[in-house]
Amino acid sequence: MEQIDILVSEVGPRDGLQSLQQIMPTAAKCEWISLLAAAGVREVEVGSFVPASVLPQMADTAEVVAHAKTIPGLDVAVLVPNLRGAENAVKAGADKISIPLSVSETHSLKNVRRSHTQMLEEIHSIAELIAAQPAERRPYFEVGLSTAFGCTLEGPVSEELVVRLAVLAIEAGAAEVGLSDTTGYANPAQVRRLVKKVWDAVGRERLNGVHLHNTRGQGLANALAAMDIGITTVDASMGGIGGCPFAPGASGNIVTEDLVFLVEAMGLRTGIDFDGLLRARNYLAGALPGVEIFGFTPEAGLPRGFQNT
């Protein structure tokens, strides 16, 4: 498989769809994921193991994981809110499990109904569950530090608390932490500063990725700031769909198509083919009639003479 410089992790099937009133049929989700993989996308967060009563959009995650696991070379990621969700994810065969640990405790109580102490206990239990699996069935375990740059419910978030929770998450057994701008508060200077602080506390190998929202139009600027200092994984959502249903106003992930163009235009490799990406986008638009999708690059087209690296 071709070596890449930046891993663009597609989160649309989870973060994108969870915020929509419309429920995408399982067969359509599976076809969309197949088209993403055919375009060269290497990691897809295909769903979330949460109760269907909370997010009916995610009720078919086990079925979607089963399909995604048949696609050669695709890393199948899922989000879980607790140990029970992790048990279901392990049973389904997910390659990667992420759990949100909101730095804003108010958001944590709203999002997963648990305090910091309770979430750290869940993280420890999940780490034990994973360690007990045979090596070939052991998923990678990441803790996403949600609201790391600010919170619509609490306002500013302490950077020292972000760092402390990163350390505690690693001590509890997570392989890695990620920084999430759940509410679109971040700016490039803040991104650079906070990434470096977490690196100093847990080591560079324990923080490789960021999850950024474009709520205030800063998404690509923040992604560039992160990549400039050495971050190698950036989450994005096709068409910019998504947000957090438990954080008012947190609309809009980074548009996958625009992020891929940014990275490739700088001469870095994503391994993603634009023609294939646009086929996946067109399919998504047809599968979600009436849902607005975004993106400058698909609207404007690629510059004359532009080629994927």
Side-chain angles (χ1 to χ4, degrees):
M1 187 177 283
E2 177 195 4
Q3 212 169 15
I4 63 172
D5 300 302
I6 299 295
L7 174 65
V8 175
S9 180
E10 174 62 50
V11 300
R14 194 278 302 175
D15 199 6
L17 297 183
Q18 75 174 13
S19 299
L20 303 179
Q21 292 298 315
Q22 189 171 334
I23 296 178
M24 193 174 188
T26 305
K29 288 184 185 180
C30 293
E31 180 62 20
W32 179 30
I33 291 165
S34 293
L35 288 168
L36 287 166
V41 176
R42 301 188 182 194
E43 180 176 283
V44 178
E45 191 175 52
V46 303
S48 177
F49 282 99
V50 297
S53 58
V54 177
L55 286 176
Q57 301 93 328
M58 299 288 106
D60 58 357
T61 295
E63 296 170 74
V64 178
V65 169
H67 167 75
K69 287 289 290 179
T70 68
I71 302 173
L74 181 66
D75 284 330
V76 182
V78 296
L79 184 127
V80 303
N82 50 36
L83 176 61
R84 179 173 294 183
E87 290 170 341
N88 290 333
V90 169
K91 183 179 178 181
D95 299 311
K96 179 180 178 181
I97 293 174
S98 296
I99 188 171
L101 173 58
S102 297
V103 181
S104 159
E105 198 157 31
T106 304
H107 182 265
S108 184
L109 291 167
K110 188 82 171 174
N111 189 36
V112 291
R113 301 175 186 170
R114 283 171 173 78
S115 66
H116 286 161
T117 299
Q118 290 171 315
M119 284 304 295
L120 289 164
E121 290 170 355
E122 294 284 341
I123 291 165
H124 179 69
S125 297
I126 293 170
E128 288 187 327
L129 168 71
I130 291 172
Q133 304 305 309
E136 68 276 8
R137 283 185 50 83
R138 205 173 289 159
Y140 193 77
F141 181 34
E142 180 186 47
V143 171
L145 295 170
S146 305
T147 65
F149 299 93
C151 175
T152 51
L153 302 172
E154 284 191 9
V157 166
S158 162
E159 293 186 357
E160 288 67 34
L161 180 57
V162 176
V163 173
R164 186 158 72 250
L165 288 176
V167 170
L168 290 172
I170 296 299
E171 290 177 348
E176 185 177 334
V177 295
L179 294 179
S180 297
D181 185 23
T182 315
T183 55
Y185 274 38
N187 63 70
Q190 186 185 18
V191 169
R192 293 188 192 96
R193 186 172 64 246
L194 192 53
V195 167
K196 289 176 181 178
K197 284 185 177 182
V198 174
W199 275 345
D200 287 344
V202 301
R204 289 180 72 107
E205 73 283 0
R206 301 287 193 179
L207 168 60
N208 296 291
V210 290
H211 178 98
L212 304 166
H213 282 217
N214 200 41
T215 314
R216 292 169 179 81
Q218 305 303 303
L220 287 181
N222 290 331
L224 181 59
M227 291 186 291
D228 273 349
I229 61 171
I231 286 292
T232 54
T233 299
V234 182
D235 291 356
S237 178
M238 178 156 277
I241 59 173
C244 177
F246 302 105
S251 59
N253 290 277
I254 294 178
V255 176
T256 302
E257 303 90 312
D258 290 341
L259 176 63
V260 170
F261 175 71
L262 171 68
V263 175
E264 295 272 341
M266 294 191 299
L268 300 174
R269 295 163 298 177
T270 64
I272 298 173
D273 170 66
F274 268 107
D275 289 339
L277 203 59
L278 294 179
R279 280 192 291 272
R281 177 187 171 93
N282 289 337
Y283 181 85
L284 174 66
L288 293 174
V291 173
E292 187 176 10
I293 59 175
F294 306 93
F296 288 102
T297 304
E299 294 297 325
L302 296 173
R304 181 178 295 179
F306 180 85
Q307 293 182 333
N308 279 89
T309 54

